[in-house]
Amino acid sequence: MKNWEKSLQANYGTPKIELVSGKGAKVVDCKGNIYLDFLAGIATNVLGHAHPAVVKAVSKQIATLGHVSNFYAHPNVLELSAKLISMTGDKSARVFFCNSGAEANEAALKLSRKTGRTRIVATKDSFHGRTMGALSLTGQPGKRDPFKPLIKDVTHVPYGDMGAMLKKVGKKTAMVIVEPIMGEAGVIVPPHGYLQALRELCDETGALLVFDCVQTGMGRTGDWFGYEYSGIKPDVITLAKGLGGGLPLGAMIALGDAATLFQPGDHGSTFGGNPVATAAGLAVIDTIEKKSLLARVNQIGVELMADLALIEGVHSVRGAGLLIGIEFSSPIAKQVAAICEAKGVLVNGNSETVIRIAPPLIVTDAEISKFLKIFTESVHEVKE
Ligand SMILES: *Cc1c(COP(=O)(O)O)cnc(C)c1O
């Protein structure tokens, strides 16, 4: 794609496909090819493409009042924050709106400084975003090293390793940040009891427990937030990706005592809580509730994982709801992803051995069957 290289910086690598339209779980490229979108803008388009509820809410809002800044309130920001608070189950929770996952984690980082402490413990291989603060939390040397020096006092320990956490988290720790399930790292589910043990450790030391639910939030795992299966609550939840149903919208929700750490002047974002983006957020939540999508995601996620595990050449399948990592016995992930694409299915080859799928939550039974058929064929073609 020469036009891309002519005008865009080289930070992404050049895409092979130019998409022009979409409906539900399907997208269409500039040549008229139709794809089943099992990546959904990287776990973002929870209601698929051009969902009528999102289209209606956004169109109405942009035609009424497009932007107000944070000098003024407007109904959507009030309604969406109240809704998010009720979803956390903690009436004392308070919301800060921003535009992306990195910004939500930047906000959490700044909030943690208001504890008077500076030390942070995060996990190896984690992904928390690319801006300098969020990158300091991200546990991937390949993404970090070219941009050193990063923020000081951040230690990375192996994910799921409570022993390592116990050694590093103490009375000087401002916050511990983890993904309830690691997304970019290849859909890594922590060992049983990990999140609960982190809660205990943070209670003992007074460190804030931050769950980065940017990828696992908004119904993706079959719950509103990816940690809910653990039964505990963090001090801070960060959200983005699915929250705006395709519009840029992020949030940092502080619970309990953490909710009052920010004082006037401490933080801000011009677009944060923008009327149009929050209109989309409200439409997303309303639709998930009306269509009982959480229950459906739980059910189809379990079935899909079971079916994927039966494919010859698949070593293991992991995840929750519709965030699924498929690990192969041999390094064929990139080839399988390429064949799927040629056959009209978009998936993400996370590494040499793992494919990640994150279809829209509105994906139909027929679309899942079609995906399974093409995916199985693609694996077999590589193996032959
Ligand atoms: C995608 C992602 C981010 C970063 O979100 P951006 O909107 O790209 O800044 C942060 N944390 C997790 C867990 C993510 O998956």
Side-chain angles (χ1 to χ4, degrees):
M1 205 176 290
K2 284 213 186 65
N3 288 345
W4 176 280
E5 282 157 16
K6 252 195 240 162
S7 30
L8 286 140
Q9 297 191 17
N11 56 310
Y12 291 117
T14 310
K16 287 210 292 294
I17 299 175
E18 182 181 342
L19 297 175
V20 294
S21 68
K23 186 79 195 151
K26 293 193 183 73
V27 285
V28 183
D29 74 9
C30 60
K31 294 175 188 143
N33 297 311
I34 301 170
Y35 302 87
L36 203 45
D37 182 7
F38 264 53
L39 191 54
I42 317 184
T44 293
N45 303 306
V46 282
L47 300 185
H49 301 274
H51 191 282
V54 175
V55 171
K56 192 174 158 209
V58 165
S59 308
K60 191 172 159 221
Q61 188 57 53
I62 192 67
T64 309
L65 186 65
H67 181 71
V68 296
S69 88
N70 300 294
F71 287 152
Y72 308 98
H74 66 88
N76 295 350
V77 81
L78 298 171
E79 200 184 324
L80 183 59
S81 51
K83 191 76 211 177
L84 288 169
I85 290 167
S86 78
M87 284 153 57
T88 68
D90 175 2
K91 285 200 183 74
S92 58
R94 294 291 181 268
V95 181
F96 166 78
F97 284 115
C98 52
N99 315 287
S100 69
E103 278 176 85
N105 289 324
E106 291 283 344
L109 177 62
K110 281 183 73 177
L111 189 82
S112 81
R113 289 279 168 102
K114 299 286 291 184
T115 62
R117 306 177 182 187
T118 57
R119 290 188 190 170
I120 292 171
V121 182
T123 58
K124 294 200 160 116
D125 300 325
S126 62
F127 187 72
H128 299 297
R130 305 276 205 151
T131 54
M132 291 303 267
L135 187 60
S136 303
L137 307 173
T138 291
Q140 301 179 31
K143 296 188 169 77
R144 300 164 56 82
D145 290 350
F147 302 100
K148 284 180 171 173
L150 294 167
I151 285 183
K152 283 191 296 186
D153 286 356
V154 183
T155 307
H156 292 91
V157 299
Y159 187 73
D161 181 344
M162 223 25 233
M165 278 285 180
L166 285 164
K167 278 196 201 125
K168 297 293 178 192
V169 179
K171 300 247 186 253
K172 290 187 175 163
T173 308
M175 77 178 204
V176 174
I177 181 165
V178 297
E179 297 167 72
I181 293 174
M182 283 207 291
E184 302 297 316
V187 191
I188 313 288
V189 182
H192 192 71
Y194 182 60
L195 301 185
Q196 293 91 328
L198 285 177
R199 178 69 276 173
E200 275 174 37
L201 180 58
C202 289
D203 285 341
E204 278 162 26
T205 54
L208 295 179
L209 179 59
V210 182
F211 285 158
D212 177 345
C213 300
V214 168
Q215 188 155 156
T216 50
M218 302 312 293
R220 174 64 44 205
T221 63
D223 285 319
W224 283 122
F225 310 115
Y227 64 81
E228 286 179 61
Y229 70 91
S230 69
I232 55 110
K233 285 193 210 309
D235 301 298
V236 178
I237 302 164
T238 55
L239 291 175
K241 292 205 165 90
L243 181 59
L247 267 84
L249 180 61
M252 186 275 282
I253 310 173
L255 284 68
D257 292 342
T260 52
L261 285 170
F262 270 163
Q263 291 302 308
D266 278 339
H267 198 44
S269 159
T270 297
F271 282 118
N274 168 279
V276 180
T278 46
L282 284 165
V284 166
I285 295 171
D286 186 53
T287 305
I288 290 176
E289 282 179 339
K290 282 205 180 113
K291 306 266 173 193
S292 304
L293 286 179
L294 298 183
R296 167 140 174 104
V297 167
N298 273 309
Q299 183 215 329
I300 56 182
V302 168
E303 290 166 9
L304 181 53
M305 278 198 259
D307 286 336
L308 285 165
L310 295 174
I311 299 172
E312 206 194 318
V314 170
H315 174 267
S316 58
V317 180
R318 59 203 183 215
L322 289 177
L323 181 62
I324 299 175
I326 305 152
E327 173 122 29
F328 297 102
S329 316
S330 50
I332 58 171
K334 303 249 150 127
Q335 269 170 286
V336 173
I339 298 174
C340 280
E341 189 177 293
K343 290 176 182 286
V345 170
L346 303 181
V347 297
N348 168 234
N350 261 71
S351 70
E352 296 301 325
T353 53
V354 180
I355 278 182
R356 170 179 50 171
I357 57 167
L361 313 185
I362 47 90
V363 67
T364 64
D365 292 338
E367 285 163 343
I368 291 178
S369 301
K370 188 172 173 196
F371 161 77
L372 275 168
K373 182 170 170 286
I374 291 176
F375 188 80
T376 308
E377 281 170 16
S378 303
V379 178
H380 289 165
E381 274 184 35
V382 176
K383 296 214 64 145
E384 271 155 20

